PDB file of all heavy atoms in Angstrom:
ATOM      1  N   PRO A  56      24.613 -54.388 -34.300  1.00  0.00           N
ATOM      2  CA  PRO A  56      25.085 -53.138 -33.690  1.00  0.00           C
ATOM      3  C   PRO A  56      23.943 -52.239 -33.201  1.00  0.00           C
ATOM      4  O   PRO A  56      24.198 -51.252 -32.501  1.00  0.00           O
ATOM      5  CB  PRO A  56      25.839 -52.455 -34.833  1.00  0.00           C
ATOM      6  CG  PRO A  56      25.160 -52.964 -36.072  1.00  0.00           C
ATOM      7  CD  PRO A  56      24.747 -54.365 -35.774  1.00  0.00           C
ATOM      8  N   ALA A  57      22.708 -52.564 -33.564  1.00  0.00           N
ATOM      9  CA  ALA A  57      21.576 -51.694 -33.217  1.00  0.00           C
ATOM     10  C   ALA A  57      20.994 -52.093 -31.871  1.00  0.00           C
ATOM     11  O   ALA A  57      20.741 -53.277 -31.613  1.00  0.00           O
ATOM     12  CB  ALA A  57      20.500 -51.784 -34.291  1.00  0.00           C
ATOM     13  N   ARG A  58      20.768 -51.122 -31.007  1.00  0.00           N
ATOM     14  CA  ARG A  58      20.155 -51.362 -29.701  1.00  0.00           C
ATOM     15  C   ARG A  58      18.681 -51.009 -29.800  1.00  0.00           C
ATOM     16  O   ARG A  58      18.302 -49.833 -29.896  1.00  0.00           O
ATOM     17  CB  ARG A  58      20.846 -50.540 -28.622  1.00  0.00           C
ATOM     18  CG  ARG A  58      20.220 -50.696 -27.253  1.00  0.00           C
ATOM     19  CD  ARG A  58      21.119 -50.183 -26.133  1.00  0.00           C
ATOM     20  NE  ARG A  58      22.214 -51.100 -25.875  1.00  0.00           N
ATOM     21  CZ  ARG A  58      22.899 -51.133 -24.716  1.00  0.00           C
ATOM     22  NH1 ARG A  58      22.571 -50.327 -23.735  1.00  0.00           N
ATOM     23  NH2 ARG A  58      23.893 -51.977 -24.570  1.00  0.00           N
ATOM     24  N   ALA A  59      17.813 -52.049 -29.788  1.00  0.00           N
ATOM     25  CA  ALA A  59      16.366 -51.836 -29.911  1.00  0.00           C
ATOM     26  C   ALA A  59      15.753 -51.388 -28.600  1.00  0.00           C
ATOM     27  O   ALA A  59      14.798 -50.602 -28.590  1.00  0.00           O
ATOM     28  CB  ALA A  59      15.694 -53.121 -30.395  1.00  0.00           C
ATOM     29  N   LEU A  60      16.256 -51.897 -27.479  1.00  0.00           N
ATOM     30  CA  LEU A  60      15.773 -51.506 -26.157  1.00  0.00           C
ATOM     31  C   LEU A  60      16.970 -51.131 -25.295  1.00  0.00           C
ATOM     32  O   LEU A  60      17.967 -51.863 -25.248  1.00  0.00           O
ATOM     33  CB  LEU A  60      14.981 -52.642 -25.502  1.00  0.00           C
ATOM     34  CG  LEU A  60      13.646 -53.004 -26.166  1.00  0.00           C
ATOM     35  CD1 LEU A  60      13.047 -54.241 -25.515  1.00  0.00           C
ATOM     36  CD2 LEU A  60      12.658 -51.842 -26.086  1.00  0.00           C
ATOM     37  N   ASP A  61      16.854 -50.005 -24.613  1.00  0.00           N
ATOM     38  CA  ASP A  61      17.956 -49.472 -23.821  1.00  0.00           C
ATOM     39  C   ASP A  61      17.473 -49.232 -22.392  1.00  0.00           C
ATOM     40  O   ASP A  61      17.017 -48.148 -22.057  1.00  0.00           O
ATOM     41  CB  ASP A  61      18.470 -48.179 -24.463  1.00  0.00           C
ATOM     42  CG  ASP A  61      19.711 -47.625 -23.789  1.00  0.00           C
ATOM     43  OD1 ASP A  61      20.267 -48.316 -22.908  1.00  0.00           O
ATOM     44  OD2 ASP A  61      20.114 -46.516 -24.148  1.00  0.00           O
ATOM     45  N   ARG A  62      17.520 -50.303 -21.573  1.00  0.00           N
ATOM     46  CA  ARG A  62      17.043 -50.253 -20.190  1.00  0.00           C
ATOM     47  C   ARG A  62      15.590 -49.789 -20.138  1.00  0.00           C
ATOM     48  O   ARG A  62      15.198 -48.923 -19.335  1.00  0.00           O
ATOM     49  CB  ARG A  62      17.938 -49.360 -19.324  1.00  0.00           C
ATOM     50  CG  ARG A  62      19.384 -49.849 -19.236  1.00  0.00           C
ATOM     51  CD  ARG A  62      20.201 -49.084 -18.206  1.00  0.00           C
ATOM     52  NE  ARG A  62      19.618 -49.193 -16.879  1.00  0.00           N
ATOM     53  CZ  ARG A  62      19.746 -50.245 -16.066  1.00  0.00           C
ATOM     54  NH1 ARG A  62      20.429 -51.324 -16.482  1.00  0.00           N
ATOM     55  NH2 ARG A  62      19.204 -50.257 -14.877  1.00  0.00           N
ATOM     56  N   ALA A  63      14.770 -50.375 -20.989  1.00  0.00           N
ATOM     57  CA  ALA A  63      13.341 -50.042 -21.040  1.00  0.00           C
ATOM     58  C   ALA A  63      12.630 -50.556 -19.794  1.00  0.00           C
ATOM     59  O   ALA A  63      13.047 -51.546 -19.179  1.00  0.00           O
ATOM     60  CB  ALA A  63      12.707 -50.643 -22.286  1.00  0.00           C
ATOM     61  N   ALA A  64      11.556 -49.891 -19.418  1.00  0.00           N
ATOM     62  CA  ALA A  64      10.801 -50.256 -18.223  1.00  0.00           C
ATOM     63  C   ALA A  64       9.314 -50.103 -18.490  1.00  0.00           C
ATOM     64  O   ALA A  64       8.884 -49.254 -19.280  1.00  0.00           O
ATOM     65  CB  ALA A  64      11.216 -49.388 -17.043  1.00  0.00           C
ATOM     66  N   LEU A  65       8.524 -50.946 -17.815  1.00  0.00           N
ATOM     67  CA  LEU A  65       7.067 -50.906 -17.962  1.00  0.00           C
ATOM     68  C   LEU A  65       6.454 -51.651 -16.789  1.00  0.00           C
ATOM     69  O   LEU A  65       7.000 -52.661 -16.329  1.00  0.00           O
ATOM     70  CB  LEU A  65       6.643 -51.582 -19.271  1.00  0.00           C
ATOM     71  CG  LEU A  65       5.144 -51.709 -19.541  1.00  0.00           C
ATOM     72  CD1 LEU A  65       4.562 -50.342 -19.900  1.00  0.00           C
ATOM     73  CD2 LEU A  65       4.874 -52.700 -20.668  1.00  0.00           C
ATOM     74  N   SER A  66       5.328 -51.167 -16.307  1.00  0.00           N
ATOM     75  CA  SER A  66       4.557 -51.910 -15.305  1.00  0.00           C
ATOM     76  C   SER A  66       3.117 -52.024 -15.782  1.00  0.00           C
ATOM     77  O   SER A  66       2.623 -51.137 -16.490  1.00  0.00           O
ATOM     78  CB  SER A  66       4.622 -51.226 -13.936  1.00  0.00           C
ATOM     79  OG  SER A  66       3.964 -49.971 -13.972  1.00  0.00           O
ATOM     80  N   LEU A  67       2.465 -53.100 -15.401  1.00  0.00           N
ATOM     81  CA  LEU A  67       1.083 -53.357 -15.836  1.00  0.00           C
ATOM     82  C   LEU A  67       0.323 -53.975 -14.678  1.00  0.00           C
ATOM     83  O   LEU A  67       0.761 -54.968 -14.099  1.00  0.00           O
ATOM     84  CB  LEU A  67       1.076 -54.303 -17.041  1.00  0.00           C
ATOM     85  CG  LEU A  67      -0.272 -54.611 -17.683  1.00  0.00           C
ATOM     86  CD1 LEU A  67      -0.887 -53.341 -18.269  1.00  0.00           C
ATOM     87  CD2 LEU A  67      -0.119 -55.664 -18.781  1.00  0.00           C
ATOM     88  N   ARG A  68      -0.820 -53.379 -14.345  1.00  0.00           N
ATOM     89  CA  ARG A  68      -1.623 -53.830 -13.221  1.00  0.00           C
ATOM     90  C   ARG A  68      -2.966 -54.366 -13.681  1.00  0.00           C
ATOM     91  O   ARG A  68      -3.541 -53.864 -14.656  1.00  0.00           O
ATOM     92  CB  ARG A  68      -1.864 -52.669 -12.251  1.00  0.00           C
ATOM     93  CG  ARG A  68      -0.612 -51.959 -11.760  1.00  0.00           C
ATOM     94  CD  ARG A  68      -0.989 -50.650 -11.117  1.00  0.00           C
ATOM     95  NE  ARG A  68       0.189 -49.854 -10.760  1.00  0.00           N
ATOM     96  CZ  ARG A  68       0.176 -48.540 -10.555  1.00  0.00           C
ATOM     97  NH1 ARG A  68      -0.971 -47.868 -10.714  1.00  0.00           N
ATOM     98  NH2 ARG A  68       1.273 -47.903 -10.240  1.00  0.00           N
ATOM     99  N   GLY A  69      -3.468 -55.329 -12.958  1.00  0.00           N
ATOM    100  CA  GLY A  69      -4.802 -55.833 -13.234  1.00  0.00           C
ATOM    101  C   GLY A  69      -5.843 -54.744 -13.046  1.00  0.00           C
ATOM    102  O   GLY A  69      -5.711 -53.889 -12.166  1.00  0.00           O
ATOM    103  N   GLY A  70      -6.866 -54.745 -13.906  1.00  0.00           N
ATOM    104  CA  GLY A  70      -7.939 -53.760 -13.786  1.00  0.00           C
ATOM    105  C   GLY A  70      -7.618 -52.403 -14.365  1.00  0.00           C
ATOM    106  O   GLY A  70      -8.298 -51.421 -14.049  1.00  0.00           O
ATOM    107  N   GLU A  71      -6.598 -52.312 -15.235  1.00  0.00           N
ATOM    108  CA  GLU A  71      -6.269 -51.036 -15.854  1.00  0.00           C
ATOM    109  C   GLU A  71      -6.033 -51.205 -17.349  1.00  0.00           C
ATOM    110  O   GLU A  71      -5.717 -52.289 -17.837  1.00  0.00           O
ATOM    111  CB  GLU A  71      -5.017 -50.412 -15.217  1.00  0.00           C
ATOM    112  CG  GLU A  71      -3.710 -51.037 -15.661  1.00  0.00           C
ATOM    113  CD  GLU A  71      -2.470 -50.205 -15.313  1.00  0.00           C
ATOM    114  OE1 GLU A  71      -2.612 -49.059 -14.844  1.00  0.00           O
ATOM    115  OE2 GLU A  71      -1.359 -50.720 -15.518  1.00  0.00           O
ATOM    116  N   VAL A  72      -6.193 -50.089 -18.061  1.00  0.00           N
ATOM    117  CA  VAL A  72      -5.760 -49.995 -19.451  1.00  0.00           C
ATOM    118  C   VAL A  72      -4.500 -49.137 -19.452  1.00  0.00           C
ATOM    119  O   VAL A  72      -4.539 -47.977 -19.022  1.00  0.00           O
ATOM    120  CB  VAL A  72      -6.840 -49.366 -20.350  1.00  0.00           C
ATOM    121  CG1 VAL A  72      -6.317 -49.214 -21.779  1.00  0.00           C
ATOM    122  CG2 VAL A  72      -8.106 -50.206 -20.337  1.00  0.00           C
ATOM    123  N   HIS A  73      -3.417 -49.719 -19.910  1.00  0.00           N
ATOM    124  CA  HIS A  73      -2.124 -49.025 -19.904  1.00  0.00           C
ATOM    125  C   HIS A  73      -1.688 -48.866 -21.358  1.00  0.00           C
ATOM    126  O   HIS A  73      -1.457 -49.845 -22.058  1.00  0.00           O
ATOM    127  CB  HIS A  73      -1.087 -49.837 -19.132  1.00  0.00           C
ATOM    128  CG  HIS A  73       0.167 -49.077 -18.819  1.00  0.00           C
ATOM    129  ND1 HIS A  73       0.756 -49.097 -17.576  1.00  0.00           N
ATOM    130  CD2 HIS A  73       0.944 -48.253 -19.583  1.00  0.00           C
ATOM    131  CE1 HIS A  73       1.841 -48.336 -17.586  1.00  0.00           C
ATOM    132  NE2 HIS A  73       1.974 -47.821 -18.804  1.00  0.00           N
ATOM    133  N   ALA A  74      -1.574 -47.630 -21.815  1.00  0.00           N
ATOM    134  CA  ALA A  74      -1.178 -47.358 -23.199  1.00  0.00           C
ATOM    135  C   ALA A  74       0.346 -47.318 -23.300  1.00  0.00           C
ATOM    136  O   ALA A  74       1.016 -46.705 -22.466  1.00  0.00           O
ATOM    137  CB  ALA A  74      -1.767 -46.037 -23.677  1.00  0.00           C
ATOM    138  N   LEU A  75       0.864 -47.981 -24.329  1.00  0.00           N
ATOM    139  CA  LEU A  75       2.295 -47.947 -24.636  1.00  0.00           C
ATOM    140  C   LEU A  75       2.463 -47.178 -25.936  1.00  0.00           C
ATOM    141  O   LEU A  75       1.937 -47.576 -26.980  1.00  0.00           O
ATOM    142  CB  LEU A  75       2.850 -49.360 -24.774  1.00  0.00           C
ATOM    143  CG  LEU A  75       4.337 -49.481 -25.125  1.00  0.00           C
ATOM    144  CD1 LEU A  75       5.206 -48.838 -24.053  1.00  0.00           C
ATOM    145  CD2 LEU A  75       4.716 -50.941 -25.339  1.00  0.00           C
ATOM    146  N   MET A  76       3.193 -46.063 -25.875  1.00  0.00           N
ATOM    147  CA  MET A  76       3.314 -45.181 -27.030  1.00  0.00           C
ATOM    148  C   MET A  76       4.774 -44.910 -27.359  1.00  0.00           C
ATOM    149  O   MET A  76       5.664 -45.056 -26.519  1.00  0.00           O
ATOM    150  CB  MET A  76       2.577 -43.872 -26.789  1.00  0.00           C
ATOM    151  CG  MET A  76       1.096 -44.038 -26.488  1.00  0.00           C
ATOM    152  SD  MET A  76       0.207 -42.467 -26.576  1.00  0.00           S
ATOM    153  CE  MET A  76       0.152 -42.202 -28.345  1.00  0.00           C
ATOM    154  N   GLY A  77       5.000 -44.490 -28.574  1.00  0.00           N
ATOM    155  CA  GLY A  77       6.333 -44.155 -29.050  1.00  0.00           C
ATOM    156  C   GLY A  77       6.327 -44.131 -30.560  1.00  0.00           C
ATOM    157  O   GLY A  77       5.443 -44.711 -31.201  1.00  0.00           O
ATOM    158  N   GLU A  78       7.308 -43.452 -31.141  1.00  0.00           N
ATOM    159  CA  GLU A  78       7.407 -43.423 -32.587  1.00  0.00           C
ATOM    160  C   GLU A  78       7.730 -44.813 -33.117  1.00  0.00           C
ATOM    161  O   GLU A  78       8.177 -45.699 -32.375  1.00  0.00           O
ATOM    162  CB  GLU A  78       8.502 -42.450 -33.023  1.00  0.00           C
ATOM    163  CG  GLU A  78       8.214 -40.993 -32.709  1.00  0.00           C
ATOM    164  CD  GLU A  78       9.231 -40.068 -33.348  1.00  0.00           C
ATOM    165  OE1 GLU A  78      10.251 -39.774 -32.710  1.00  0.00           O
ATOM    166  OE2 GLU A  78       8.984 -39.635 -34.492  1.00  0.00           O
ATOM    167  N   ASN A  79       7.499 -45.019 -34.423  1.00  0.00           N
ATOM    168  CA  ASN A  79       7.931 -46.267 -35.032  1.00  0.00           C
ATOM    169  C   ASN A  79       9.433 -46.411 -34.831  1.00  0.00           C
ATOM    170  O   ASN A  79      10.201 -45.476 -35.082  1.00  0.00           O
ATOM    171  CB  ASN A  79       7.605 -46.281 -36.525  1.00  0.00           C
ATOM    172  CG  ASN A  79       6.108 -46.393 -36.775  1.00  0.00           C
ATOM    173  OD1 ASN A  79       5.494 -45.455 -37.251  1.00  0.00           O
ATOM    174  ND2 ASN A  79       5.512 -47.521 -36.442  1.00  0.00           N
ATOM    175  N   GLY A  80       9.853 -47.591 -34.373  1.00  0.00           N
ATOM    176  CA  GLY A  80      11.258 -47.817 -34.087  1.00  0.00           C
ATOM    177  C   GLY A  80      11.642 -47.472 -32.661  1.00  0.00           C
ATOM    178  O   GLY A  80      12.818 -47.576 -32.289  1.00  0.00           O
TER     179      GLY A  80
END
């Protein structure tokens, strides 16, 4: 019954550092 991801989105490009942040869970 738990939804871990709800239409999540992310992009990642070569030559960059991309930080992914969020609370635990």
Side-chain angles (χ1 to χ4, degrees):
R58 177 165 285 201
L60 293 174
D61 186 8
R62 299 189 59 79
L65 176 73
S66 66
L67 184 64
R68 306 166 186 159
E71 77 165 353
V72 177
H73 193 134
L75 179 61
M76 302 193 74
E78 294 189 270
N79 290 112

